[in-house]
């Protein structure tokens, strides 16, 4: 088998890259180790920057987000038992974010890919990448008991944090930067109306962080900070709702509609960046190259901005016969990634209770939060990062 670009991984990065390449007439095959149902079963964040929404439209898959996405003009911070809106729309000269789940984005991309006829191999095992430092890279994998080889011109490593592409790079050729936070997020999905349909609520409380989000007007997503030693079985629905309420202001807590959870999981919080993102004819994009803690909802948006840069670079190569885009990809992508890493790390540090924090640390958090909601300059900093920094902000 032969293709121009072999894409490893059918998460949002791989599917979106595939859609943009197919649209530009560049042949691509996606190799994914899981089944489509497994991929769709992973519940992740759901706040899209305008650049991500625009890219979905560019890829021809914008109808879902246009019809069902909920536009947010502001966010709210809760601390010391009170809610403080930050009007990101006014502070950024009219920019907004859209609430639309990663599951929905993935479902739209999968449907569009099937309609386009571009090949996807699901449930592939033993996926391996070879010879990407030569002009003739290859991908090998097993499917239904048979071994296959896919010859290609480029490999796109869109295979997430635990993927094979980054892992195949010799240690001396890659540098990794990491911070692991001493807590996790317990998330619950429920078919209940969201307590705050027009804004995400981020709460800093004595009992730890909490977040109120949504997937639609009838489906909510809530989180509470918890120790990583906790197990999902420790958390009955009742315990979860009581804990969430105890971390919100009284008015919000009294309006919260509870119900049975339809998904409940605990996720670790991590910041991670691998440099560079190009190794000869293999590129990394999305979670394969970087992870952000979910505070600030940058994960999916960063994956989309990598894909925008990588697809432009590959189109430039195949259509305009220019190397410039692929040569600049890693540096350009990393410049934007580090700014989002900074924002996610900062918001995480500001909003959570750290096990080793003392009275001083807590007072500093409170002082910063008060400064943030009272100073237009400080609010603007949050707002412009939340809606996503412009692409030309990068180096
Ligand atoms: N071979 C083939 N596919 C693989 C392999 C492998 N060895 N390893 C992993 N994969 C697949 C996974 O099964 C998954 O479907 O690669 C895909 C990677 O998808 P994601 O982890 O969703 O990563 P990405 O597409 O970059 O999307 C980034 O996911 O974690 C969130 O916050 C993040 O929202 C962001 C988004
Ligand atoms: C979510 O909807 O899952 C979500 C929203 C905002 C965040 C993180 C997660 O910052």
């Amino acid at each position: 088998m032969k293709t121009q670009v072999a894409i490893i991984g059918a998460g949002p990065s791989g599917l979106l890259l595939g859609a943009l390449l197919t649209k530009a007439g560049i042949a691509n095959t996606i190799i994914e180790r899981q089944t489509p149902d497994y991929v769709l079963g992973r519940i992740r964040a759901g706040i899209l920057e305008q650049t991500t929404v625009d890219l979905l439209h560019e890829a021809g898959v914008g109808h879902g987000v246009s019809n069902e996405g909920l536009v947010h003009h502001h966010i709210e911070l809760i601390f010391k038992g009170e809610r403080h809106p930050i009007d990101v729309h006014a502070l950024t000269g009219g920019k907004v974010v859209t609430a639309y789940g990663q599951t929905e984005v993935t479902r739209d991309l999968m449907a569009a890919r099937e309609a386009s006829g571009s090949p996807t191999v699901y449930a592939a095992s033993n996926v391996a990448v070879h010879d990407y430092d030569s002009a003739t890279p290859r991908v090998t994998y097993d499917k239904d008991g048979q071994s296959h080889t896919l010859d290609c011109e480029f490999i796109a490593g869109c295979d997430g944090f635990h993927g094979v592409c980054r892992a195949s790079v010799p240690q001396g050729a890659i540098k990794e930067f990491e911070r692991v936070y001493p807590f996790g997020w317990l998330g619950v999905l429920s078919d209940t109306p969201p307590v705050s349909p027009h804004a995400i609520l981020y709460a800093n409380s004595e009992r730890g962080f909490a977040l109120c989000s949504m997937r639609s007007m009838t489906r909510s997503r809530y989180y509470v900070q918890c120790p990583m030693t906790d197990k999902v079985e420790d958390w009955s629905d009742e315990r979860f709702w009581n804990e969430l309420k105890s971390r919100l202001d009284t008015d919000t807590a009294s309006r919260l509609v509870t119900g049975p959870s339809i998904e409940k999981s605990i996720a670790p919080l991590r910041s991670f960046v691998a440099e560079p993102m190009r190794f000869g004819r293999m590129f990394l994009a999305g979670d394969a190259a970087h992870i952000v803690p979910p505070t600030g909802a940058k994960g999916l948006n960063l994956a989309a901005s990598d894909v925008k840069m990588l697809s432009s670079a590959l189109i430039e190569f195949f259509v305009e016969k220019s190397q410039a885009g692929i040569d600049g990809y890693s540096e350009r992508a990393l410049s934007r990634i580090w700014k989002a890493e900074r924002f996610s790390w900062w918001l995480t540090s500001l909003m959570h209770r750290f096990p080793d924090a003392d009275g001083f640390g807590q007072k500093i958090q409170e002082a910063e939060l008060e400064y943030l909601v009272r100073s237009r300059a400080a609010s603007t900093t949050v707002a412009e990062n939340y809606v996503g920094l412009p692409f030309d902000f990068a180096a």
Side-chain angles (χ1 to χ4, degrees):
M1 276 197 308
K2 215 174 159 53
T3 192
Q4 285 174 295
V5 182
I7 301 174
I8 315 300
S13 301
L15 288 165
L16 188 54
L17 179 64
L20 292 162
L21 294 180
T22 299
K23 206 166 157 239
I26 298 168
N28 61 93
T29 297
I30 300 183
I31 313 286
E32 163 64 51
R33 88 170 150 196
Q34 306 289 358
T35 63
D37 282 349
Y38 183 95
V39 173
L40 283 173
R42 293 186 295 228
I43 309 292
R44 301 240 172 96
I47 294 294
L48 309 185
E49 295 173 358
Q50 192 57 46
T51 49
T52 305
V53 173
D54 293 345
L55 197 61
L56 291 174
H57 283 291
E58 197 180 317
V61 289
H63 45 278
V65 67
S66 286
N67 294 338
E68 293 162 39
L70 302 169
V71 171
H72 285 183
H73 286 216
H74 65 286
I75 58 170
E76 295 202 30
L77 300 182
I78 300 176
F79 58 94
K80 288 179 148 175
E82 284 188 30
R83 275 169 80 153
H84 303 268
I86 296 189
D87 189 341
V88 295
H89 181 257
L91 291 164
T92 59
K95 293 187 182 167
V96 295
V97 294
T98 303
Y100 190 65
Q102 179 169 320
T103 311
E104 285 67 34
V105 171
T106 309
R107 190 195 56 210
D108 297 349
L109 284 164
M110 277 181 173
R113 183 152 186 101
E114 207 171 323
S116 77
S118 286
T120 313
V121 180
Y122 282 101
S125 54
N126 296 324
V127 179
V129 291
H130 312 271
D131 303 334
Y132 47 80
D133 46 4
S134 79
T136 53
R138 278 176 310 123
V139 179
T140 55
Y141 61 94
D142 298 339
K143 167 89 184 166
D144 298 331
Q146 295 218 317
S147 299
H148 299 266
T149 299
L150 177 61
D151 294 311
C152 57
E153 292 178 57
F154 291 99
I155 296 172
C158 300
D159 48 351
F161 184 64
H162 300 289
V164 68
C165 293
R166 191 183 77 250
S168 76
V169 176
Q171 259 190 5
I174 192 163
K175 198 159 185 218
E176 300 186 344
F177 303 85
E178 182 170 44
R179 179 146 306 180
V180 177
Y181 301 87
F183 40 72
W185 278 17
L186 168 67
V188 158
L189 195 66
S190 66
D191 279 329
T192 51
V195 71
S196 169
H198 304 297
I200 306 290
L201 306 183
Y202 292 89
N204 171 310
S205 93
E206 269 171 24
R207 298 181 61 85
F209 173 74
L211 189 154
C212 304
S213 181
M214 73 218 64
R215 292 293 174 268
S216 70
M217 292 307 270
T218 54
R219 183 167 283 189
S220 300
R221 181 70 168 161
Y222 298 107
Y223 302 91
V224 294
Q225 172 187 351
C226 70
M228 266 321 283
T229 45
D230 278 14
K231 303 267 169 291
V232 173
E233 304 75 65
D234 301 335
W235 286 88
S236 64
D237 287 358
E238 193 191 1
R239 180 177 172 208
F240 176 82
W241 293 120
N242 286 337
E243 187 60 41
L244 177 62
K245 282 184 189 170
S246 77
R247 298 182 187 195
L248 303 173
D249 60 290
T250 345
D251 171 55
T252 308
S254 69
R255 288 186 298 100
L256 184 78
V257 180
T258 64
S261 62
I262 53 173
E263 197 266 354
K264 197 188 281 166
S265 50
I266 295 180
L269 270 73
R270 181 197 301 274
S271 298
F272 172 87
V273 182
E275 295 189 351
M277 290 168 64
R278 178 193 180 183
F279 306 90
R281 284 183 164 246
M282 179 170 80
F283 304 92
L284 303 181
D287 277 19
H290 44 78
I291 297 284
V292 284
T295 337
K298 289 288 167 230
L300 177 57
N301 293 299
L302 271 188
S305 65
D306 288 356
V307 165
K308 183 173 169 67
M309 293 181 198
L310 182 55
S311 60
S312 310
L314 289 169
I315 293 167
E316 211 176 303
F317 180 88
F318 284 112
V319 179
E320 293 165 31
K321 313 284 177 221
S322 159
Q323 289 257 138
I326 59 173
D327 287 346
Y329 167 69
S330 178
E331 194 185 340
R332 201 167 162 233
L334 283 163
S335 167
R336 192 165 192 275
I337 288 158
W338 273 112
K339 290 173 188 72
E341 289 283 344
R342 184 208 68 81
F343 177 65
S344 309
W345 158 82
W346 169 79
L347 196 58
T348 302
S349 312
L350 179 68
M351 298 306 292
H352 291 77
R353 279 283 171 278
F354 283 71
D356 58 351
D358 53 7
F360 182 82
Q362 209 152 311
K363 286 284 182 192
I364 292 290
Q365 267 192 354
E366 280 171 20
E368 181 156 13
L369 282 162
E370 274 169 23
Y371 169 61
L372 202 83
V373 297
R374 280 175 184 74
S375 154
R376 189 179 170 89
S379 302
T380 305
T381 297
V382 175
E384 71 177 1
N385 280 281
Y386 198 78
V387 299
L389 293 175
F391 271 72
D392 54 13
F393 212 82

